[in-house]
Amino acid sequence: MTEFDLDRLRVRLARSGVREVGVLAGGASSLTFRGVLDERPVVVKVAPPGHEPVGHRDVLRQARILRALGSTDVPVPEVLVEDAGSPPLFVMSLVAGESFEPLFDGDTGLGGTEFDAVPNRYRSAARCLATLHGLSPVELGVGDEPVVDATAEVDRWCATLRTVDQDLVPGWEAVSGELSAGVPAPLGPAVVHGDFRLGNLLAVRSEVTAVIDWEIWSVGDPRIDLGWFLANADPATYSRPSSFVDAVPSRGDLLEHYTLDGADVPDVAWFIALACFKSVATWSLIVKHNRRRPTPRAEFEEMAPVLPRLLQRARTLLA
């Protein structure tokens, strides 16, 4: 956003009482700002100008699910202002807490006390995910959303993989074929966050204070979320060096906190394999765009050799 646009945004937000507006880091799909409303710190999400506010850019759709969850036990920011102008935006409360992905972000900014909180933060996240999946989309008022099943998820990421450098993703068609041949019977439907992992939660020590980044939420099989969460909580997925490897609870431990009663969740391995396949698709797209930048980012390019290993991991899980 240009300086002129930011000035216009400040004037627009001032009509709703939001002041001290400045850029906030983050917000890949939408523009993210900080501000103050009635002495409360707030976050402003704005759809990118020049693009249709649809899909992951539809910020008012994000506000819809946050409002729906506001009266439940799922912790989310409070929606304070919605503005359907051009571009659309909404204002929400700034929730205390940090977002941190222990197996991906490295050891930045955390000391010994925080290290001790990591295992229980994962467990709190598993319980929070179970709470989300226990809610009825109809009772939340989002029962009109189309149900996204597991087959549609496979097809979605196949469409992405067809657009990237095929040398990055050798053999992805075989993996997609194995996924499609073994699609489990559906569960749910439930509200699916779409990117549920510790990096998209705010937490204070082990307590989850908010689930954030709802750009790709949907209604569908809850195991789509569960598989993604478990894949990101498994040191073997990306095999990145991290001092938190031994702090991550096992898959069985996390599943116990997710189910609460120790009941089996059917076909979990298939959904973790799907998560690996999804990660290959998303990261190959990031690598493709990164290579087109005047100055590519080294940390994105470092993911290129990881992608074939992720595909092999998916095949191992399916076997």
Side-chain angles (χ1 to χ4, degrees):
M1 177 173 280
T2 65
E3 193 66 33
F4 172 75
D5 289 328
L6 182 54
D7 288 341
R8 291 178 60 188
L9 177 65
R10 286 172 174 146
V11 171
R12 182 177 166 191
L13 287 168
R15 301 188 192 109
S16 299
V18 181
R19 53 189 176 80
E20 299 180 28
V21 177
V23 176
L24 186 66
S29 301
S30 52
L31 303 169
T32 311
F33 302 87
R34 56 169 174 77
V36 176
L37 174 62
D38 297 331
E39 309 307 320
R40 296 177 63 182
V42 295
V43 174
V44 183
K45 299 274 280 192
V46 186
H51 298 276
E52 283 294 312
V54 297
H56 59 278
R57 300 187 186 98
D58 188 349
V59 295
L60 297 184
R61 184 172 181 272
Q62 297 169 40
R64 181 191 186 195
I65 191 61
L66 291 175
R67 282 195 183 279
L69 293 170
S71 61
T72 73
D73 290 332
V74 177
V76 292
E78 179 186 1
V79 176
L80 303 169
V81 176
E82 291 182 65
D83 183 339
S86 181
L89 62 84
F90 75 96
V91 181
M92 59 184 165
S93 59
L94 176 63
V95 179
E98 64 179 5
S99 64
F100 179 67
E101 195 70 64
L103 297 177
F104 212 88
D105 293 343
D107 303 340
T108 56
L110 290 188
T113 301
E114 289 82 0
F115 182 95
D116 294 341
V118 165
N120 285 329
R121 186 177 296 187
Y122 274 106
R123 295 178 181 116
S124 295
R127 294 192 295 272
C128 181
L129 186 60
T131 301
L132 172 66
H133 291 165
L135 300 172
S136 162
V138 172
E139 292 178 5
L140 285 173
V142 296
D144 57 338
E145 288 284 329
V147 176
V148 179
D149 62 18
T151 298
E153 277 287 290
V154 176
D155 292 343
R156 172 185 183 180
W157 301 116
C158 285
T160 298
L161 284 161
R162 293 188 186 100
T163 71
V164 304
D165 180 354
Q166 297 300 291
D167 289 341
L168 283 171
V169 289
W172 72 263
E173 298 98 331
V175 179
S176 71
E178 292 178 31
L179 284 165
S180 296
V183 176
L187 293 182
V191 172
V192 175
H193 178 276
D195 193 10
F196 191 95
R197 52 187 174 84
L198 257 59
N200 281 333
L201 308 178
L202 297 177
V204 175
R205 286 193 53 79
S206 62
E207 179 188 358
V208 175
T209 54
V211 184
I212 58 174
D213 291 344
W214 289 85
E215 283 87 349
I216 57 172
W217 75 272
S218 63
V219 171
D221 194 309
R223 293 169 296 179
I224 294 171
D225 264 349
L226 180 62
W228 185 249
F229 172 63
L230 292 174
N232 281 278
D234 187 343
T237 298
Y238 297 107
S239 299
R240 294 170 67 92
S242 171
S243 61
F244 294 97
V245 167
D246 293 334
V248 181
S250 67
R251 184 195 304 178
D253 185 332
L254 292 174
L255 281 170
E256 285 184 12
H257 285 269
Y258 176 79
T259 60
L260 301 181
D261 59 3
D264 288 336
V265 180
D267 302 303
V268 169
W270 188 94
F271 284 91
I272 300 175
L274 173 64
C276 292
F277 189 70
K278 169 183 173 180
S279 187
V280 169
T282 55
W283 275 110
S284 61
L285 195 61
I286 291 169
V287 171
K288 180 181 84 169
H289 290 311
N290 185 57
R291 289 177 173 179
R292 295 176 177 176
R293 295 164 59 104
T295 306
R297 293 174 58 174
E299 66 269 28
F300 290 164
E301 184 60 32
E302 288 170 0
M303 288 301 296
V306 177
L307 304 183
R309 297 203 303 269
L310 276 174
L311 286 169
Q312 183 55 51
R313 179 150 183 78
R315 300 193 78 169
T316 300
L317 287 159
L318 291 169

